[in-house]
Amino acid sequence: MATAKGKLSEYTAKRAFDATPEPKGDVATGREGPLMFVVQQHAARRMHYDFRLECDGVLLSWAVPKGPSLDRGEKRLAVQTEDHPYDYASFEGVIPPKQYGSGEVIVWDCGVYSPDEQGLHFGDRAEAERQIRDGMVKGKLSVQLRGVKLKGSFALVRTKEAKSWLMLKHKDRFVSADEVTEQDRSVLSGIAVTDLKFVPAHRIPAAQLVPAGEPSPLPARLEPMHGETAPAPFNDPGWM
Ligand code: MN
């Protein structure tokens, strides 16, 4: 079992935190509720998607060159990379030139997940983490994702190459032949990854990515958003 520090030693060793805006981060403790997943689109030297699963206070990570697919016939290569700190989940921004992974990053999708081979464990974090640890040793994970773009059951299966896994969609009602990566906007800020060359990054704490905290009653009255006229169509994350 890696020590808390050891878990992120590879992540830390690869980065110069006086030069990159990426979070230094630490192993998260005291988290409650369902486990979180995130997919970051990363316009590095080669465009790819970083698929990350929260487990034991860090984000298990894979780089998926073609991105995830909802198509059942597709097997997408997923190369395992170093564990990332939990805080990394909400990172959107620009990794400067000459730094490790230089290029733009957006949060392409996020949500909660649970292992799903032996029932769902959204309400039992300890059991969910136990099954994920077990799956990492065996080289086979089956997870139910509840994201904005990615939904349903997915498998990650390790190949004979230790770091190379395949990501594929299990058959369920969320299977689709549509190329999900064509939905190219950040689920946090509404921008496409190339927009980060022109607009500032949008940052929120990782803990705000998925619903959490105490439920509270709805306000008695909500003021509706009113329509407006505009001279031309526009795109703004505050509007649908
Ligand atoms: Mn990456």
Side-chain angles (χ1 to χ4, degrees):
M1 195 73 165
T3 62
K5 226 179 181 175
K7 275 185 177 183
L8 292 172
S9 58
E10 190 180 346
Y11 172 87
T12 305
K14 284 181 167 170
R15 288 164 177 83
F17 293 103
D18 53 354
T20 179
E22 293 166 288
K24 203 165 179 182
D26 223 329
V27 177
T29 53
R31 292 257 306 136
E32 291 176 7
L35 296 170
M36 187 176 71
F37 84 92
V38 64
V39 183
Q40 281 155 316
Q41 187 181 3
H42 185 181
R45 196 151 40 91
R46 296 177 74 173
M47 181 75 78
H48 62 272
Y49 296 77
D50 290 296
F51 179 72
R52 310 191 198 278
L53 296 175
E54 179 191 5
C55 186
D56 297 326
V58 298
L59 303 173
L60 307 172
S61 296
W62 292 262
V64 186
K66 288 183 167 178
S69 173
L70 299 177
D71 197 343
R72 208 177 150 228
E74 285 288 313
K75 294 188 178 78
R76 297 280 162 100
L77 176 67
V79 180
Q80 193 181 0
T81 57
E82 75 275 18
D83 295 349
H84 278 47
Y86 166 75
D87 284 344
Y88 203 93
S90 60
F91 174 69
E92 283 199 348
V94 182
I95 304 170
K98 295 185 184 155
Q99 297 305 305
Y100 178 71
S102 84
E104 298 78 26
V105 177
I106 59 165
V107 177
W108 180 82
D109 198 15
C110 66
V112 294
Y113 87 94
S114 165
D116 65 359
E117 267 180 321
Q118 303 161 52
L120 296 174
H121 300 280
F122 285 102
D124 187 346
R125 166 175 284 256
E127 175 58 19
E129 289 180 322
R130 191 193 65 73
Q131 290 189 21
I132 295 298
R133 276 195 298 272
D134 198 39
M136 290 303 289
V137 173
K138 289 181 177 150
K140 187 171 179 292
L141 297 175
S142 181
V143 291
Q144 176 94 203
L145 305 182
R146 292 182 180 167
V148 179
K149 297 168 185 168
L150 300 183
K151 297 177 199 291
S153 183
F154 290 77
L156 276 158
V157 184
R158 189 161 54 213
T159 68
K160 285 175 189 162
E161 293 272 336
K163 296 280 178 191
S164 295
W165 296 56
L166 295 173
M167 183 179 189
L168 43 111
K169 180 83 195 69
H170 284 138
K171 186 180 177 185
D172 59 22
R173 72 188 178 89
F174 299 107
V175 165
S176 165
D178 293 340
E179 187 51 66
V180 70
T181 53
E182 285 178 8
Q183 299 174 44
D184 64 350
R185 290 181 179 273
S186 160
V187 293
L188 299 188
S189 58
I191 59 166
V193 73
T194 48
D195 294 338
L196 277 172
K197 292 184 192 297
F198 313 107
V199 298
H202 181 85
R203 300 285 292 275
I204 63 169
Q208 288 177 16
L209 287 184
V210 294
E214 289 298 310
S216 59
L218 274 174
R221 189 183 147 76
L222 285 169
E223 186 62 28
M225 193 172 179
H226 298 287
E228 285 178 22
T229 58
F234 62 90
N235 200 334
D236 183 306
W239 292 73
M240 289 186 80

